[in-house]
Amino acid sequence: MAGQMLPPIALVAVAICITAVAAAKVPAIYVFGDSTADVGNNNYLTGAAVPRANFPHNGIDFPTSRPTGRFSNGYNGVDFLALNMGFRRSPPPFLAVANKTSNPLFRGLQGTNFASAGSGILDSTGQSIIPMSKQVQQFAAVQRNISARISQQAADTVLSRSLFLISTGGNDIFAFFSANSTPSSAEMQRFVTNLVSLYTNHVKDLYVLGARKFAVIDVPPIGCCPYPRSLQPLGACIDVLNELARGLNKGVKDAMHGLSVSFSGFKYSIGSSHAVVQSIMKHPQRLGFKEVTTACCGSGKFNGESGCTPNATLCDNRHDYLFWDLLHPTHATSKIAAAAIYNGSLRFAAPINFRQLVDDQH
């Protein structure tokens, strides 16, 4: 690539692309994952089993108070990370733009969000949703579209500077636990090893398609969400879920380091939502929270027995809550998490933080 000249039309295309988001620090963000990152893809899927959030009280604090499909009272973590990078919020859901032909030259050039609530690393995780493997295939279609419009070389340049954000794994752990709530150490190890191997394959597939900068969000202590607590007789965190989350996080950390050694130009940061949530649970007042066990919106024990529906109980002081619903953070939590991951110390993002990953122009 070094020393090669881009054809004039490609240079113009790249210049227009980058000028179009003049304030942005990367040409584009491509997002993959589950409900922690979904901004409305599942709205376009059919079937009763599809997890959705395109109804109140979701979105009550979103601009114009509209439910968009985000599992939040407002923005999710991806929105806040995108804001930090100079975008308005997350790029649009793939399924919202997949069939639009307007401005085809730059469709996908400023990023796309492929995340699907309920999905996981494994194809077997979730029902009637878009698994990670299919999300990668959808990106391949976007990549082909970009290459066809602005030349392969120009596309390679844009994609190598863009950010590939991945937030997944929690649903795989929940599915494993629901099938076997008392797994042996050997079973847990086998499961995590397989999960890390498949995660690594998804990342390699994205690399082959032109991705070079990977921003990974790890799995939080999901055993402490209101839903698992509601299942535990004493209302405590479910340790097996937290142990599996720690195991997956460690495996992915080691795998990403290995890929950075083996693959030319491979750069990454792992943002630790795990460390952020732990910090909030340990010192809630210090970070402005008052309630770290019960969800703001839901029903039953800890408001964790069912989702945030129009008929659910809704708290008044949403900014005081760590959890929005049975499994997801509030707008306030996501804002703090994104700030810590983007600008924070090694405790919250390693081996560099997201800002350093974004600023790395080499």
Side-chain angles (χ1 to χ4, degrees), residues 327-347:
L327 290 171
H328 303 100
T330 56
H331 177 96
T333 305
S334 293
K335 186 175 186 177
I336 285 176
I341 287 166
Y342 196 79
N343 293 305
S345 65
L346 284 168
R347 183 178 172 199

Side-chain angles (χ1 to χ4, degrees), residues 267-282:
K267 298 159 189 167
Y268 76 99
S269 170
I270 298 176
S272 185
S273 66
H274 194 281
V276 173
V277 171
Q278 274 193 323
S279 295
I280 294 171
M281 288 192 304
K282 200 171 178 183

Side-chain angles (χ1 to χ4, degrees), residues 58 76 142 229 247:
N58 297 295
N76 66 20
V142 169
R229 280 186 188 273

